[in-house]
Amino acid sequence: MNWRIDVAVQTPAHSALGDLLSYAGNDPLPAGTLLRVPLGAREVLGVVWQSTPETETETAMALKPVGAALDALAPLGEAWRDLVAFAARYYQRSLGEVALAALPPQLRDLSSVQLARRLKRKTAARAEVVADTAANAIALSAEQSDALARFETEAGPFLLFGSTGSGKTEVYLRAVAALLARNDAAQALVMVPEINLTPQLEARFKARFGDDAVVSLHSGMTNPQRLASWLAAHSGTARIVLGTRMAVFASMPGLQLIVVDEEHDPSYKQQEGARYSARDLAVWRGQRENAKVILGSATPSFESWHQSRPAEGDDPGGRYVRLAMPARIGAGELPAVRLVDMNLQPPKTVLSGALLAAIGERIARGEQSMVFLNRRGYAPVLACGDCGWKSECPHCSAFRVFHKIDRTLRCHHCGYAERVPRACPACGNPDIAPVGRGTERLEEHLGELFADVKRPDGSAVTIARIDADSTRKEGALESQLAAVHSGEVNVLVGTQMIAKGHDFRRITLVAAVNPDGALFSSDFRAPERLFGLLMQSAGRAGRDAAYLAAQGSRAEMWVQTSHPQHPLFAALRRHDYAAFAQSELAERRAAGMPPFAFQALIRADARTQDAAQAFLTAASTAADRLEGAERVTRYPAVPLAVQRVANVERAQMLVESGSRAALQRLLAGWQPVLHALRRTPEGKGVIRWLIDVDPQQI
Ligand code: ADP
Ligand code: ZN
Ligand code: ZN
C-alpha cells in the first residue's frame, strides 16, 4: 500500500471532519472513481478526489485501505467534480455532503457487478433521436425565429423573456433539436420547477425526440427509476435529461445546453441541507462546461432581469442576453384584468356578485374558469366565539388548519394532527366555528352557489379542486388534470399548483380571490412573487385564440383586492412586467437590497429563543476580527416569522454586503468559528445552525 487516496464521503453535517477523508491504496485511482470505503463501523460510498504517493508519516499512520471500486462506471468527470466543489464552497457545506447528495441513493447499495448488469440492460447504446419532422415543419413566429437566430449566433447566457403562451417551450425544443442534429454525442439538460410539470414536458419532448432519448430526474421517482435515469445520463446514452432542481447535478459528459424553464420560481432554491439555487448553479455550470444556457420566464426574477439589462450610458449592461417574445402564439390577447374593490362589497363577501356572474356566463357557454386561492384546507383557524379559544398548535407558534374532509385539525408546520373537537376544549361551547377560508371551503361554497345552474347539455356543474391535499395519492394529479383538459370540469379551484405552466385550452376566466396578504409582507420579495404568480395565473386564461374566437368569448383575469390602488395592480392591468420590475428595482437600488447587494442568513435553532439569539449575537461579535468583516453588514438576530416549530425556537441573522466576494470570504472564515462557538457556553441549548447563502425567504 503506497498511495494516499482522498475521498469525498457523506460525513454527518457540520461534523468538522474536513472535506475529504484519506485512505490507503495499492494503486492510484482516477479522480471521480466511485468506490466503497470504511467509515466508522460502516462501509459507505465515496468519490475519489485525488491520489498521491504516501509520505512516510502517512504510511506510519496506517490509513485504512479503500474498499471495492465501482469500476463498471466511468469516473465522474472533472467538470462534474468542479461543479460539486463550487456548490459546496459557495453554499458553505462539506464537499462530501454535496457530492453524495448529487448521486442517486441506490448507488450506495449496489455492487459493481449489479451495476454492470443494469448498465447493460438499460442503456445498451446511445439513444437514437427520432426527429419528428412534422413538428419541426410548424412555422415559427417571427419572434421565435429571431430568438433562435440570436441563440445560435451569440454566447449567452440567455434570458428568454416570453409572455405566457408565446411559445417558449417550442423555442427550447428547436434549440435542443438543432444541437442534437449537429452533434451526435451532445446532451441537453432541461429543468422545470415542479415535479407536477415534468410529465407534460416529458410528453412533449418524447413526442419530438422519441421515448429513448429522454429521461427524467426528480424526487417523485422510485430509487430504481432514478438510478436508471442517472446511468443513462452518465453513460451518455440519454440525450435529454428533464428534471427538477436536483437534475442540475446530473453527470452528463456531453452537456452542451441547459434550459431553466420558469427560472423565477422559488422551487429552484433547495430549502434544506446545501441550500443551493439550481438556476444559479446552471449558469455557473454552463460557463464551466461551455454549454449554452437559456433561462426562460414571462416574469423573470429581478436578479435575472437586472443581469440582462441593456447597456445604457456608463452602464455596460448585464452579462445575460435578453430575448423578448411579447406576443402570444395565434395572436391571442392576454386576458383583460378586472379589479374588484372589496371595500365596496357587502361585509363578509367571499366572491363578488360580478365575478360570480362572469363565472356563470362561462358555465352557460361550456367554458372553464379557474379560481385561485393560496391556502389549502377548509379554514386556517377554528375558533370559539365565547371564550376566544383558537386552534393553536401546541408545538408551534401557528394555528392548526381545519380540514373538513377528514375532520382534522392539522398543523402545516410540524404535521401534528388531531380529530376536530366536538366542543371548545377550553369552555365546552359546542359552537366552534371556522374562521377564514381555504380551497376546500371555497370549493364547497362554489358548489352551493352553482348547485342549480346547468351546463349547456343540461347536466350539473362540476367543481374540482387541485392542491397538495387533493393530489397526495399516486396518479391523482394526472387524473385531475385530465378531467380539466377533457372539459369535464367547469370550475377549478386550487392553490398556486394550478397557476403554473399548464396549457389548459378551454379556460377563459381566472380569478385570484384573496391575494392581499403578500402586499404587506415583511419579505421584500413578496411583491415580486405575487406579481409573478398573478401574471402566471393570468397566463392560464385564453391560451387558445381560435377557441376564444369560436366561442365569441374573451379571456379575463379577475383580482379581488382591498387595495385596488396598489401600483402592483396597475402594472398587472397593463401586463407590464417591465414597468413593475423597473419601479421595484429602483426601490431596491435605493435601499441597497438584492440584486444590488448580496445576502446570507445565519440561522440557529435552540430550546429557547434567548439561546438561539445569544448564539447568533456571539457569532456576530466573533466575526468582528474576521477578514472581510468591515465590508459586511451584520443585522441583529431576530425570531423567524414562524418562531417556534415542533417545540424548537428559531432565530436568524441577516448579513449583507455590496461585494459577493467579501461576503463569501467572511462566511468561509466564519464556519470554523461557528463550529467552535457551538461548544462554548454561548452554544448551550443550540440544536443546529445553518447558513443560507442568497436566501429567497427573509
Ligand atoms: P409558453 O411555454 O411560452 O407558455 P408554449 O410553448 O407552451 O408557450 O406554446 C403555447 C402553445 O402554442 C402550445 O400549444 C404550442 O404547441 C403552440 N405553439 C408554439 N409555437 C407555435 C408555432 N410557431 N405555431 C403554432 N403553434 C405554436
Ligand atoms: Zn371556548
Ligand atoms: Zn405544529
Side-chain angles (χ1 to χ4, degrees):
M1 301 248 181
N2 48 7
W3 288 84
R4 191 192 82 212
I5 318 279
D6 293 332
V7 181
V9 295
Q10 167 105 57
T11 49
H14 302 312
S15 69
L17 265 179
D19 270 355
L20 297 170
L21 298 186
S22 297
Y23 294 89
N26 291 323
D27 302 294
L29 287 169
T33 301
L34 283 154
L35 82 181
R36 294 199 201 287
V37 290
L39 181 69
R42 296 177 305 143
E43 252 214 344
V44 297
L45 181 68
V47 182
V48 173
W49 229 256
Q50 64 215 358
S51 307
T52 40
E54 269 190 355
T55 61
E56 274 172 35
T57 346
E58 281 160 1
T59 311
M61 278 163 61
L63 296 171
K64 282 190 193 164
V66 294
L70 300 182
D71 38 24
L73 289 181
L76 292 153
E78 188 179 358
W80 184 87
R81 283 177 279 129
D82 282 353
L83 172 69
V84 165
F86 169 77
R89 203 165 57 239
Y90 187 81
Y91 294 104
Q92 308 291 326
R93 303 296 289 199
S94 82
L95 177 57
E97 180 191 6
V98 177
L100 273 292
L103 297 171
Q106 231 190 354
L107 273 185
R108 294 165 201 208
D109 312 325
L110 297 181
S111 71
S112 200
V113 177
Q114 288 168 311
L115 272 172
R117 219 176 291 141
R118 264 172 225 233
L119 265 173
K120 218 182 270 156
R121 174 146 40 101
K122 285 286 177 203
T123 56
R126 180 167 297 141
E128 189 81 31
V129 173
V130 192
D132 179 345
T133 41
N136 278 321
I138 299 175
L140 292 176
S141 70
E143 290 176 352
Q144 286 173 321
S145 305
D146 289 350
L148 275 165
R150 289 193 63 189
F151 171 75
E152 291 300 341
T153 50
E154 296 177 41
F158 301 90
L159 176 67
L160 180 60
F161 171 52
S163 304
T164 49
S166 61
K168 293 186 289 298
T169 312
E170 187 62 34
V171 171
Y172 309 149
L173 286 161
R174 295 292 177 105
V176 172
L179 170 68
L180 300 192
R182 197 162 55 230
N183 177 339
D184 63 12
Q187 295 178 295
L189 171 62
V190 181
M191 294 201 286
V192 286
E194 301 250 355
I195 293 180
N196 73 54
L197 291 174
T198 51
Q200 80 175 33
L201 198 69
E202 190 178 323
R204 271 175 91 171
F205 272 81
K206 284 188 166 168
R208 194 66 62 92
F209 299 104
D211 286 357
D212 297 338
V214 185
V215 298
S216 296
L217 265 180
H218 57 74
S219 58
M221 298 164 68
T222 64
N223 281 344
Q225 286 168 335
R226 244 172 95 175
L227 178 66
S229 290
W230 187 87
L231 288 174
H234 176 62
S235 60
T237 53
R239 307 297 304 282
I240 300 162
V241 175
L242 283 181
T244 50
R245 62 176 177 261
M246 63 154 65
V248 77
F249 288 113
S251 165
M252 298 176 69
L255 182 67
Q256 297 215 4
L257 171 59
I258 308 178
V259 174
V260 183
D261 191 24
E262 311 292 0
E263 67 87 31
H264 62 278
D265 199 293
S267 322
Y268 282 119
K269 185 81 157 60
Q270 167 77 15
Q271 291 299 350
E272 53 193 40
R275 299 181 163 224
Y276 63 87
S277 156
R279 176 198 62 217
D280 296 350
L281 285 180
V283 173
W284 191 92
R285 187 175 185 181
Q287 180 154 17
R288 166 64 183 80
E289 302 199 35
N290 216 359
K292 281 197 180 177
V293 177
I294 315 179
L295 311 177
S297 178
T299 52
S301 63
F302 288 166
E303 278 80 2
S304 300
W305 185 248
H306 181 64
Q307 277 294 356
S308 67
R309 71 196 181 280
E312 201 188 312
D314 293 342
D315 179 4
R319 66 189 187 90
Y320 299 175
V321 177
R322 190 184 292 168
L323 308 172
M325 300 202 303
R328 274 186 146 181
I329 291 290
E333 274 178 36
L334 286 165
V337 175
R338 325 249 334 224
L339 295 179
V340 179
D341 185 347
M342 294 309 275
N343 300 303
L344 307 179
Q345 299 294 319
K348 298 200 168 164
T349 298
V350 180
L351 297 163
S352 65
L355 173 57
L356 285 174
I359 294 175
E361 283 169 24
R362 271 146 181 107
I363 294 173
R365 290 200 298 263
E367 296 164 23
Q368 296 174 306
S369 302
M370 191 171 105
V371 184
F372 161 70
L373 176 64
N374 230 354
R375 177 176 267 162
R376 66 193 169 86
Y378 189 83
V381 187
L382 203 60
C384 168
D386 277 3
C387 75
W389 173 87
K390 288 196 173 94
S391 57
E392 254 156 318
C393 175
H395 310 297
C396 305
S397 45
F399 294 111
R400 280 173 299 166
V401 175
F402 174 37
H403 290 257
K404 192 173 177 184
I405 285 185
D406 55 3
R407 311 242 12 124
T408 56
L409 288 178
R410 241 186 279 157
C411 174
H412 288 185
H413 297 278
C414 72
Y416 179 70
E418 238 180 11
R419 277 193 69 78
V420 172
R422 284 182 198 290
C424 171
C427 75
N429 168 20
D431 208 16
I432 43 179
V435 181
R437 72 196 59 243
T439 45
E440 237 184 72
R441 193 174 190 184
L442 192 59
E443 177 191 18
E444 181 184 274
H445 187 58
L446 281 160
E448 286 160 9
L449 288 168
F450 291 110
D452 301 324
V453 178
K454 295 278 177 276
R455 309 203 270 204
D457 66 2
S459 58
V461 168
T462 304
I463 317 281
R465 172 172 57 91
I466 295 187
D467 57 26
D469 296 316
S470 79
T471 54
R472 206 147 286 169
K473 279 206 199 79
E474 164 106 44
L477 178 64
E478 288 74 11
S479 62
Q480 287 162 5
L481 288 174
V484 181
H485 285 294
S486 74
E488 158 75 26
V489 171
N490 301 95
V491 183
L492 175 64
V493 178
T495 55
Q496 59 176 350
M497 233 171 158
I498 56 172
K500 298 181 191 175
H502 299 288
D503 194 15
F504 301 123
R505 311 304 289 178
R506 272 178 271 201
I507 287 186
T508 60
L509 180 148
V510 172
V513 173
N514 183 14
D516 285 350
L519 293 176
F520 305 100
S521 161
S522 61
D523 188 335
F524 71 90
R525 281 196 181 82
E528 173 185 350
R529 295 257 160 80
L530 175 60
F531 189 79
L533 203 52
L534 293 176
M535 288 274 281
Q536 290 292 332
S537 315
R540 299 314 112 213
R543 293 178 69 83
D544 191 335
Y547 175 73
L548 279 178
Q551 289 289 107
S553 180
R554 284 201 63 191
E556 287 175 355
M557 162 93 201
W558 288 65
V559 180
Q560 299 194 144
T561 173
S562 302
H563 306 275
Q565 308 308 330
H566 198 285
L568 186 148
F569 295 125
L572 181 72
R573 253 193 144 130
R574 300 190 310 267
H575 302 282
D576 197 345
Y577 167 86
F580 180 66
Q582 191 183 5
S583 73
E584 287 279 310
L585 280 168
E587 272 179 37
R588 292 214 197 155
R589 183 194 294 274
M593 287 197 287
F596 305 98
F598 303 91
Q599 297 181 326
L601 285 175
I602 320 291
R603 200 177 105 189
D605 292 359
R607 299 270 166 245
T608 65
Q609 185 59 222
D610 281 352
Q613 293 194 18
F615 176 77
L616 294 175
T617 307
S620 183
T621 308
D624 280 338
R625 55 186 167 78
L626 295 175
E627 200 195 335
E630 69 292 344
R631 297 186 61 191
V632 178
T633 310
R634 279 160 278 147
Y635 291 92
V638 292
L640 260 69
V642 180
Q643 162 174 347
R644 185 168 52 100
V645 168
N647 298 316
V648 171
E649 288 284 340
R650 314 183 305 166
Q652 66 184 20
M653 180 168 71
L654 180 66
V655 294
E656 192 177 73
S657 175
S659 155
R660 199 194 284 274
L663 179 60
Q664 280 285 320
R665 237 185 344 268
L666 178 71
L667 293 176
W670 218 350
Q671 280 272 2
V673 175
L674 285 158
H675 279 296
L677 197 61
R678 177 88 192 272
R679 292 185 294 272
T680 68
E682 275 81 16
K684 204 162 167 274
V686 172
I687 297 163
R688 64 182 90 85
W689 58 271
L690 60 90
I691 298 179
D692 188 348
V693 182
D694 303 331
Q696 289 299 298
Q697 270 146 23
I698 304 228

